Amino acid sequence: GRGGSSGARGSDPEGLCGVSPGRGSTGRAAWGCARVGVGAVIPACARTAHAGPPSAPPAFSPLFHARFVLAVGSAVFDAMFNGGMATTSTEIELPDVEPAAFLALLKISMGPAVPLLALYPKKAWRSGPCRSRLRVGDLPRAGCRCSPNPPLDVSRQARLFDEPQLASLCLENIDKNTADAITAEGFTDIDLDTLVAVLERDTLGIREVRLFNAVVRWSEAECQRQQLQVTPENRRKVLGKALGLIRFPLMTIEEFAAGPAQSGILVDREVVSLFLHFTVNPKPRVEFIDRPRCCLRGKECSINRFQQVESRWGYSGTSDRIRFSVNKRIFVVGFGLYGSIHGPTDYQVNIQIIHTDSNTVLGQNDTGFSCDGSASTFRVMFKEPVEVLPNVNYTACATLKGPDSHYGTKGLRKVTHESPTTGAKTCFTFCYAAGNNNGTSVEDGQIPEVIFYT
């Protein structure tokens, strides 16, 4: 049957008391039990942090919770209260858990918030609700009591306690809010492994020079933590493998010259090779990644507007240009261009996307590419994705310096890309670009491919 309500809540300010199971003749829990007051629930004691001398006795903090809720949320507690060797004590002691952390775990069982402190007791007591109730939107709330930079700190804790799904959610959150994450107060407090995990991302939405400046701030703080003098040599030492993950080739030559080249963190050989990378063709091999950080999701797509390839397209400093529009919002990350008819060759090239009506350059890159003499197209990428809006006219522009190349013929005015997974269609419409265009038109010429994400 059901007993009366005691109404005693004075010692339960968090409202954590629930139904406390009684016991039948078998010793197992009798789940249909009366609602009882505070006196019948378990004071679960957890060890507190002790600020006194090592010889001082540890302090304990009483936390009150119902047997039923603990047993349902944790297989360990279920065995402790209802198993063959169930405890009969009204008090249990958890000597290896901070009271605040254990209280956070208790709150998880009653609601959707996921405090950062709860990760350790969740793992230790195999409590399930944390993962199933977590959303990316919970991350700032989850860490607000523990860290000034919740996603980064939660990511570190998630890796420490082997929570890959939670770590992945944190990194995705950082992708979307990169500038906020690296400028937050707590960025300089993260550990090296977390810094490396961030720098390895291909999907960070920020310019590389700003990322470098944040890494420099982190290296200064790390030198101080390791009680090292803050010198360029020590900064390089504490950065370790993280330095090699900064994508210096994605910077402009001006950004590189004003910052990294004068920082002292790079050795002379690295500075020289990077300056050569920015200024000469063929470009020397550099030790740093030159792959763009594309802050996009999904699969890379491309369309080719020509149906046939012919030989001998010349260059005299005039840009090849073609106008285009698209039926939906996309992000253009590069072009496919034709290469030499004379065998393996290096080209210098400037690529641009221009807003046709305002003549505003939305994205460009001075770079180069190597071809093998075949009629294939060769990728030339922007340093950052260029947003292209639906039903707006843009001009694709490529200025090549090099020998005669292949070119495309039998061009299509309309080209449609259909996603193999969703069936979604992206429709390109190409138009003649009036003025100096080196002969490129809808029917034939250069700039055969557009590489993009939807």
Side-chain angles (χ1 to χ4, degrees), residues 68-80 94 96-97 101-102 105-106 108-109 118-132 161-163:
F68 175 80
V69 177
L70 290 173
V72 168
S74 165
V76 176
F77 280 126
D78 186 35
M80 182 183 296
L94 307 178
D96 59 343
V97 181
F102 194 71
L105 178 65
L106 301 187
I108 288 172
S109 66
L119 281 176
Y120 169 67
K122 174 191 175 292
K123 296 298 288 187
W125 296 94
R126 302 191 182 101
S127 179
C130 177
R131 181 182 302 171
S132 63
F161 295 116
D162 191 25
E163 289 287 345

Side-chain angles (χ1 to χ4, degrees), residues 304-309 338 408-413 443 448:
N304 192 315
R305 65 191 187 93
F306 294 122
Q307 302 178 81
Q308 188 172 317
V309 182
Y338 291 120
T409 63
K410 297 185 177 179
L412 300 172
R413 185 170 297 274
E443 290 75 23

Side-chain angles (χ1 to χ4, degrees), residues 420-436:
T421 54
T422 65
K425 294 183 178 181
T426 306
C427 302
F428 287 77
T429 302
F430 293 95
C431 302
Y432 179 77
N436 294 328

Side-chain angles (χ1 to χ4, degrees), residues 205-212 250-252 255 383-384:
I206 196 167
R207 290 196 62 80
E208 203 69 19
V209 67
R210 292 187 62 190
L211 201 58
F212 171 78
L250 300 186
M251 300 179 186
T252 66
E255 289 171 340
K383 291 188 176 182
E384 294 180 336

Side-chain angles (χ1 to χ4, degrees), residues 352-356 358-364 382 384-389 392-394:
Q352 296 181 343
I353 290 183
I354 302 169
H355 185 273
T356 304
S358 65
N359 203 35
T360 302
V361 177
L362 303 178
Q364 68 171 333
F382 292 101
E384 294 180 336
V386 180
E387 181 181 23
V388 170
L389 299 176
V392 176
N393 288 322
Y394 298 90

